[in-house]
Amino acid sequence: MKYLFKKEYLKFGFNMSQYVFRIGEIESMSGISARQLRYWESKGIIEPLERPDEQSGRVYPFKMFMKIMMIKTFLDQGNTLKNAVMHVDETQRFMRATHNILASAVHGLVYEDDTVFIDLGDFDAEGRQRLLAYQENSGEDEKVSYRLVDKADLEE
């Protein structure tokens, strides 16, 4: 078994702070008008990034885009803006906790015989065994299986 990526290399791809969008891009991707976005901004619901380069165009970080999309989802379900924002705030609390746990749990990606495994770290207190997660067939609804391997069998 050979490592494809160790944890430190995975962090770059999952660093959402590097993804920013102009207001027109948010409008296009979400279907929410720039005027509506500015209204939400005036109410303190969303906020653009501060731009030190004196450019006046609004840009939003990825996490704000996600908040906008979640608000839209709750509005589309018939919620008021106030209730939609309340649901989003609650949902984001759980999402942050989930993200933090997964970010701590994933130690890398391992490859063997056309199968990609997620290294979930040491399984035993002595650090001799690692727990790997994988799917026979890829897909959101596919069952996740687990495999214990000796740490010595993992090639750096």
Side-chain angles (χ1 to χ4, degrees), residues 29-80:
M29 293 185 299
S30 69
I32 300 169
S33 72
R35 181 176 179 213
Q36 184 69 42
L37 293 168
R38 285 197 233 16
Y39 173 75
W40 291 358
E41 191 178 315
S42 74
K43 296 295 183 187
I45 295 168
I46 62 172
E47 57 186 75
L49 287 173
E50 292 286 326
R51 297 188 74 187
D53 55 7
E54 297 183 19
Q55 292 181 343
S56 60
R58 288 173 170 85
V59 293
Y60 297 90
F62 181 79
K63 77 177 197 174
M64 199 57 57
F65 169 68
M66 293 304 298
K67 183 174 186 174
I68 290 165
M69 293 305 296
M70 290 190 319
I71 290 170
K72 181 181 184 326
T73 299
F74 286 117
L75 289 173
D76 289 347
Q77 293 173 355
N79 288 279
T80 64

